[in-house]
């Protein structure tokens, strides 16, 4: 009779809610920093990007990644977390770590202005205003950092800001190991 339908109308939304909650729960348990990168151990995509200002005669190209391991850091002037990460990048630069920058989905002049205010930790910078190169790397947001070995292969991808812990526990040991490999 009518009672069954009413009970069903009450139970279905609860079931749906439980299914959604379960799906979200599973999503939360997956560590978002361990994103698979299709590029791991593969050569970096071929690209040749201009610098941020007309005066920057040198931009950033895939051919710049040879000889020694470097970090490729994806940043943008609109990226809030990049502000948090920035002092760490300057510290790494001061320690002699080579970091190249990819200004992603950003107005080149805005990226240049952002660095002028905060200091420039990058050896070379490429402007990727339409995000094409970032897409080739599988970038999903900023900041992201790729560890690239001396043979131009992507060895690791870190999503989110580089914290002192991330550097000492993950990135630095890897860079040291790659340094010895080359």
């Amino acid at each position: 009779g009518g009672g069954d339908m009413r009970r069903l109308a009450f139970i279905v939304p609860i079931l749906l809610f439980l299914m959604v909650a379960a799906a979200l729960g599973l999503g939360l348990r997956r560590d978002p920093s361990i994103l698979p990168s299709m590029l791991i151990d593969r050569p970096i995509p071929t690209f040749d990007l201009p610098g941020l200002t007309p005066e920057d005669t040198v931009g950033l190209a895939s051919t710049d990644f040879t000889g020694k391991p470097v970090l490729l850091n994806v940043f943008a002037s609109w990226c809030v977390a990049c502000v948090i990460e920035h002092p760490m990048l300057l510290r790494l630069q001061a320690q002699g770590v080579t970091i190249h920058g990819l200004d992603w989905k950003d107005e080149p002049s805005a990226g240049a202005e952002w660095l002028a205010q905060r200091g420039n930790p990058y050896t070379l910078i490429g402007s990727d205003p339409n995000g094409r190169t970032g897409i080739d790397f599988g970038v999903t947001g900023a900041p992201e950092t790729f560890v690239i070995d001396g043979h131009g292969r992507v060895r690791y991808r870190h999503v989110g800001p580089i914290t002192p812990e991330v550097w000492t526990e993950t990135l630095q040991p890897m860079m040291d190991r790659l340094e010895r490999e080359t």
Side-chain angles (χ1 to χ4, degrees):
D4 288 348
M5 279 313 289
R6 261 203 312 279
R7 204 163 50 243
L8 209 60
F10 179 69
I11 290 172
V12 167
I14 290 174
L15 285 176
L16 281 174
F17 171 78
L18 290 174
M19 281 159 60
V20 169
L24 285 175
L26 289 173
L28 291 174
R29 263 211 309 284
R30 246 188 35 248
D31 185 345
S33 64
I34 312 175
L35 281 172
S37 181
M38 302 151 338
L39 292 173
I40 298 298
D41 293 333
R42 299 248 305 275
I44 58 174
T46 306
F47 66 92
D48 191 352
L49 296 171
L52 295 183
T53 64
E55 298 82 62
D56 289 341
T57 45
V58 182
L60 180 65
S62 42
T63 50
D64 293 320
F65 294 85
T66 53
K68 65 175 188 153
V70 297
L71 298 178
L72 174 62
N73 178 255
V74 179
F75 76 100
S77 63
W78 47 261
C79 156
V80 180
C82 294
V83 179
I84 302 163
E85 176 181 63
H86 206 71
M88 187 65 198
L89 297 180
L90 290 167
R91 205 152 85 221
L92 295 179
Q93 179 193 39
Q95 291 171 20
V97 179
T98 302
I99 309 169
H100 294 325
L102 182 69
D103 189 17
W104 189 60
K105 290 191 175 175
D106 199 8
E107 208 47 60
S109 56
E113 176 63 27
W114 195 85
L115 290 174
Q117 286 170 10
R118 290 174 177 78
N120 182 358
Y122 306 114
T123 306
L124 295 171
I125 305 174
S127 172
D128 187 20
N130 56 11
R132 261 280 5 126
T133 300
I135 289 166
D136 291 344
F137 271 93
V139 170
T140 53
E144 281 191 23
T145 303
F146 294 87
V147 174
I148 297 166
D149 69 16
H151 306 288
R153 289 189 306 253
V154 175
R155 300 301 287 271
Y156 187 77
R157 170 187 183 197
H158 175 73
V159 176
I162 298 174
T163 61
E165 296 73 44
V166 167
W167 173 249
T168 52
E169 289 164 26
T170 308
L171 299 179
Q172 187 173 24
M174 189 174 293
M175 293 287 280
D176 291 346
R177 198 174 67 244
L178 293 174
E179 197 85 51
R180 289 192 298 273
E181 268 180 28
T182 346

